[in-house]
Each structure stands twice: as structure tokens, then as C-alpha cells.
Amino acid sequence: MTANHPHPITPPQIRIATADDVDDIHAMLFEIARTTGCEDKFKSTPADLARDGFGPKPAFEALIAHNDDTAVALCLYFPSYSTFRGKAGIYIQDLFVTPEYRGGGFARHLIAQVASRARSQGRHYIRLSVDADNIIGQRFYARIGMHHAEDEKIHVLDGNAFNTLIDA
């Protein structure tokens, strides 16, 4: 490690998250909400993550990176399927690296491991969305070979509109 960068010289220690990591995962997800000004929208709890990620039918998997005993990065993802491609893939929901470890390769290593896991499971692509204002994130994704889907816009149905549609 250098004096200016606390990044490890060797690749980060990355492993599949377990239920024991729920508090660290939740803290990193909250940090995403805080840094994007969405604290008021952040409703999940550690119990939600434990139930939905580590119960009998996990809705997601996560990779977590450590430097020594400290959790410093996270990539949370779940299966996806493209009818146009006719192939299965992965959707990355959240990618986070603590600020003092940014630039140390953690994000690239996490996405590379997600891609490796995807390929080993017969999956063929990774999709994600990035906040329109997150120019640094967009540049990073472009550097690792991801391209922006110009012909798509994400639409969301949730809250009252979700319930109204069901109950109508």
C-alpha cells in the first residue's frame, strides 16, 4: 500500500456474501442512497436483506470485497433473461466501493468475478443501470467495455401505482 492510496497491491479478497454480511451490505447500500441524495427513499433493513437474499429462495446474490477484515466493496446482482438475445444473463443492482478504496480496482474485480460466475452458470451478459448524473460511473463502465443502450429507458411501477394497477 502506498501512503496516498490504501489500496492493496494484490487483488482484493472477494467472496460470496453470506447472511453474516447483512449489516455490512446494508451499510454500503445506505451509503449509495446517502451519496445520491436518496436517503428518504431507502427503506430496506438488514432483516429485509437477510430474508430476501439468504432465505430458501434467494432473490439476489452479492459479492463482497475485503481489505483485511474490513468490507470495502459490494456488488449485488440477480438473474436476468433477454428474450431478444434468447439468453440468460445477470442484472447488477448495486455496485459500491468505499470512497477511500476507489481507484484501486475493486469495482473492476467485482464485475469480472460476477461475469465469471455468470459464464460458469451458462449466462451470457451483464446489464445494469446507472444514475444519469453519475458521469464517473458511466465512464468507468465504458472503460471496462460496457455500452449505453441508447434505445432503452427504464420504467418503474411501484408504490400506489403498483397497488392501483393490481386492485383496478
Side-chain angles (χ1 to χ4, degrees):
M1 292 188 224
T2 67
N4 295 333
H5 295 84
H7 313 300
I9 293 170
T10 58
Q13 304 161 12
I14 297 174
R15 62 174 174 74
I16 294 286
T18 69
D20 292 336
D21 297 308
V22 165
D23 289 335
D24 287 334
I25 293 168
H26 188 263
M28 287 187 269
L29 296 175
F30 180 77
E31 198 56 29
I32 293 171
R34 190 187 66 72
T35 59
T36 57
C38 296
E39 290 171 87
D40 59 323
K41 296 178 185 174
F42 188 76
K43 304 296 183 200
S44 77
T45 66
D48 295 330
L49 298 173
R51 177 194 64 230
D52 295 333
F54 305 100
K57 289 185 174 184
F60 64 85
E61 285 186 346
L63 293 178
I64 193 163
H66 285 82
N67 190 27
D68 296 321
D69 292 331
T70 304
V72 297
L74 167 74
C75 187
L76 188 145
Y77 57 93
F78 49 85
S80 177
Y81 187 80
S82 170
T83 56
F84 278 31
R85 288 181 181 94
K87 297 187 186 281
I90 293 288
Y91 187 90
I92 293 177
Q93 180 66 36
D94 296 294
L95 178 66
F96 179 77
V97 179
T98 57
E100 60 270 23
Y101 287 89
R102 291 180 186 159
F106 283 90
R108 187 183 63 75
H109 282 289
L110 283 165
I111 293 175
Q113 285 215 13
V114 169
S116 177
R117 288 182 58 74
R119 184 172 60 193
S120 74
Q121 297 167 1
R123 299 182 181 282
H124 301 273
Y125 65 90
I126 291 175
R127 287 179 53 111
L128 56 79
S129 65
V130 61
D131 288 337
D133 294 337
N134 186 351
I135 303 303
I136 293 170
Q138 292 172 42
R139 288 179 185 151
F140 164 74
Y141 295 127
R143 274 195 315 276
I144 65 167
M146 296 185 97
H147 61 276
H148 176 72
E150 297 285 342
D151 59 339
E152 296 182 28
K153 288 194 181 260
I154 294 175
H155 293 254
V156 178
L157 181 68
D158 62 0
N160 288 338
F162 178 82
N163 291 322
T164 299
L165 180 65
I166 294 167
D167 297 335

